[in-house]
Amino acid sequence: RSVFPVHHFDEQLAARRYYLLSFRETIEPNRAAAGGTWSRGPAIGPAVTSIEKRIKDLNGYMKKIFVLGSINMDMVMKAERKPKDGETISGTDFFLNAGGKGANQAVAVQKSGGDLKFCACVGDDVFGARLIQTLQGYAVDTGCMKIIEGTASGLAQITVVNGNNSIILYMGANGRLDKGIAEEFLDR
């Protein structure tokens, strides 16, 4: 769900010769291809092929891509079963992983050779710093990301039992992304 209607940017993006990469045309068609399985690491693998095709389909028109979206720190815990209400059980594995639909798309576009601007917000916490560092590790330009003071970064608490996950999402700084921030970065 968008924080604000994306169609407001269509004219501005076109004027700057940017193509807005949408969630539906990159990630959703690949959900079935992933077989519903969950794997450790960024969830960008299946999206890369679709994004590569989309970039080639642009055929020289609007080679620049503007990704506007979420970025979260995924806190992943594996367990043999889900706990009952009020029960505490031991997990079998835990790790932190950068995620979020926008961040996943930004990494996929970068891996596909696209000219990318990624616009997102993170908090001024340890997770925000790590999320930015992770994107930089994938050579994603983080110059269009805004650090929101006094706000936590977006978080996803993911519990994995028998390969199936359940997620609780905290929007955090993602909820502060608005039209003004996106326009600020489009002008850079």
Side-chain angles (χ1 to χ4, degrees), residues 93-107:
D93 192 16
F94 173 80
F95 57 92
L96 296 174
N97 191 57
K101 304 303 185 211
N104 293 344
Q105 289 178 343
V107 171

Side-chain angles (χ1 to χ4, degrees), residues 1 10 15 30 36 43 47 65 67 70 93 97 114 133 143 152 166 169 173 184:
R1 183 178 144 202
D10 288 347
N30 293 297
I65 298 172
V67 176
S70 64
D93 192 16
N97 191 57
Q133 182 182 25
S166 56
L169 182 66
E184 170 189 340

Side-chain angles (χ1 to χ4, degrees), residues 59-138:
N59 198 23
Y61 179 73
M62 293 187 183
K63 284 186 176 179
K64 297 187 274 182
I65 298 172
F66 188 80
V67 176
L68 176 69
S70 64
I71 182 167
N72 302 309
M73 181 58 73
D74 295 344
M75 300 182 298
V76 183
M77 176 83 67
K78 290 185 178 182
E80 292 179 5
R81 64 178 180 82
K82 289 184 180 183
K84 298 174 185 172
D85 288 345
E87 179 184 27
T88 300
I89 63 172
S90 295
T92 59
D93 192 16
F94 173 80
F95 57 92
L96 296 174
N97 191 57
K101 304 303 185 211
N104 293 344
Q105 289 178 343
V107 171
V109 167
Q110 184 64 33
K111 284 184 165 192
S112 299
D115 182 4
L116 168 73
K117 280 192 178 186
F118 176 48
C119 183
C121 294
V122 295
D124 62 348
D125 54 11
V126 67
F127 293 130
R130 184 161 173 185
L131 289 166
I132 290 171
Q133 182 182 25
T134 299
L135 286 176
Q136 290 170 341
Y138 284 102

Side-chain angles (χ1 to χ4, degrees), residues 21-29 31 101-102 105:
L21 190 61
S22 76
F23 171 72
R24 292 195 181 280
E25 58 191 1
T26 58
I27 304 298
E28 285 187 349
R31 226 177 246 168
K101 304 303 185 211
Q105 289 178 343

Side-chain angles (χ1 to χ4, degrees), residues 147-166:
I147 299 171
I148 308 294
E149 291 185 27
T151 302
S153 296
L155 300 170
Q157 177 187 322
I158 304 172
T159 304
V160 181
V161 176
N162 297 323
N164 297 310
N165 65 27
S166 56

Side-chain angles (χ1 to χ4, degrees), residues 39-56:
S39 62
R40 187 174 182 155
I44 54 86
V48 172
T49 304
S50 178
I51 289 174
E52 284 175 345
K53 180 182 181 323
R54 193 67 175 140
I55 290 171
K56 289 176 186 171

